[in-house]
Amino acid sequence: MSLFDWFANRAKSESPMQQRHQEREIADGLWTKCPSCGVLTYTKDLQANLMVCSECNHHLRVDSEERIQQLIDPQTWKPINEEVEPVDPLEFRDRKPYKDRLRDYQNKTHLKDAVQTGTGLLDGLPVALGVMDFRFMGGSMGSVVGEKLCRLIEYGTNEGLTVIIICASGGARMQEGMLSLMQMAKISGALERHREANLLYIPVLTHPTTGGVTASFAMLGDIILAEPKAMIGFAGRRVIEQTLREKLPDDFQTSEYLLHHGFVDAIVSRTQLKKTLANLISLHQPFYPVRHLQQSDSQELNHHTMNHHTMNHHQATQTPIQSFEQS
Amino acid sequence: MSKPRSFLLDFEKPLCELESRIEQIRELAQENNVDVSDQIAELEEKAEQLRQEIFSSLTPAQRLQLARHPRRPSTLDYIQAMSEEWFELHGDRHSSDDPALVGGVARLDGIPVVMLGHQKGRDTKDNVARNFGMASPGGYRKAIRLMEHANRFGMPILTFIDTPGAWAGVEAEKQGQGEAIAFNLREMFSFDVPILSTVIGEGGSGGALGIGVGDRILMFEHAVYTVATPEACAAILWKDASKSGQAASALKITAWDLKELGILDQILPEPSRGAHADPLAAAGVLKTVLKENLEELMQLTPGQRKERRYQKYRAIGQFQAA
Ligand SMILES: [Zn+2]
């Protein structure tokens, strides 16, 4: 029985006035129906449970704003590079000009592009966090996503921070052509330097993570986490079905499938995500005071002692890269 | 130059007709012992003009046809034409040897190098065996194994890109196609030795990029490099696969487009009717250009090369920061 059948049945026994009242409450967002099991939950309760259905454990989509609230300690989030905005380098136009698409999504989401980046404390631990937002053109990766993630990773490398990226993307943004494809290499290069500094990087794969994002930073984590039942893959399911001319198994390209085949470390319920990340980060804090290589004393100090009281907020809001070109 | 009709591209037809007319006249004249050398010279000049006209004003969709031409020289053709010594190496050392991605050790004008690239088939049977140049995760893992080998022995890495894209299939997903490509992207930034990546035919998306991180990116003039095939792009953005010509133009896939976007370092000229018309000449150009670039890159320290490689990619992208 679908939600609407269920709702209709229920509504029959109610007076027209009650019915109208409840319909309005759904429209107003007071109630949310679970797309998986159809149960209606009071939206505030659902939000308190991090948008995880308490009936069936389905993970409903969350936007970047909610995600930051879920993961970062109150009052510690410092966004960086918020001013970076997309342009239309190819003057691309399909059925609609890319410029118009950008403007529409910007109005709808109040975001400049498909990722938010910044620093903050996660259970008191300093992190550099990138959160992709699927609402903005399907979380597609163009120049802005590439640039912001690159600056975030570079900032993390310079400051000795753990980098966490919440992935949600349909892949490279076609409207920016080859510039989009090259962001895969650019971000991977930044991750190579972060890795070279023996710093921790944890991507969290959420529904859906596909294409160019899967073939770059989503799969380059020291530890890779995934939310339950997320769709994760390189090629689109439809493309594969076309070449095979047969139906694919239901669990194909799910988090569980990737876990089974060795490409993610663990599937973590969203309600446990913050705690899990905090535990993993603290497990990777150096136990012996003298650690590796070329980090300067100040960076070393930052890395070991940054906490709620010593975190330098002023520093955190500065643009990490001064030498970028504006176009 | 007579070519099987099936390989003739539409836009080549007027040129081909003119060429066969010249041939006919020549034969007739010979049979009848008439001197028509003046007329023939005139016609040949006209043919040359037409050739230049056609090949200098190709649309992106026509270039795509050339890039996919069944007679276009492949990675192995170039390797064999360019190197004095060549020893192919096989296997990813995990579980497979992908024939769609080939590589090995070679000597290029005395310099030991590692060469590798996507390999399309030279005929239908070969194409099936080589999966039309669409590499599997094992192919990308073989590639990185060979590159690590090169790095250990101080051999420059020369990669050749020619693929419609990485293989999209159940096995490929199961074996981690995304992970295999991602791993290569990151590792290629770590190598001390020079890396030159050349797009010789079709540069298709992540499957191309998976062996495409280099100190310099080179591209033949009729090659293309694209974020998604124009066919796929048309199907997704226009909801109409027949709009692939429009998509090919909109996506900016030609060498000149990519040079302007700051992605490409150098465009390699092709023989007047495309690389397939004279593969040896094309290989000669490629060899010269690779050697020139290697000589320049060898002047730098490994640290300088890595820094410049990083900065090259770091600078790619357009945005505004008000
Ligand atoms: Zn539910």
Side-chain angles (χ1 to χ4, degrees), chain B residues 217-237:
Chain B
I217 310 296
L218 320 170
M219 195 164 157
F220 271 111
E221 64 170 302
H222 299 313
V224 298
Y225 200 173
T226 175
V227 64
T229 62
E231 291 84 354
C233 177
I236 295 166
L237 294 184

Side-chain angles (χ1 to χ4, degrees), chain A residues 282-317:
Chain A
S282 73
L283 259 173
H284 290 79
Q285 300 295 306
F287 182 73
Y288 296 102
V290 179
R291 210 171 52 140
H292 43 290
L293 4 148
Q294 308 108 336
Q295 287 183 336
S296 72
D297 288 343
S298 66
Q299 279 172 342
E300 197 75 8
L301 192 73
N302 253 335
H303 189 192
H304 291 284
T305 61
M306 250 211 280
N307 59 37
H308 201 282
H309 304 290
T310 60
M311 177 134 173
N312 187 333
H313 288 310
H314 174 68
Q315 202 176 23
T317 54

Side-chain angles (χ1 to χ4, degrees), chain A residues 22 54 62 80 82 87 158 183 191 203 219 284 294:
Chain A
Q22 206 149 17
S54 47
V62 292
I80 51 177
E82 279 184 300
V87 294
N158 293 336
Q183 302 309 310
L191 285 172
M219 284 292 147
H284 290 79
Q294 308 108 336

Side-chain angles (χ1 to χ4, degrees), chain A residues 33-39 41 52-58 60:
Chain A
K33 73 152 183 166
C34 170
S36 179
C37 71
V39 161
T41 310
V52 177
C53 175
S54 47
E55 204 63 39
C56 72
N57 197 36
H58 179 73
L60 283 80

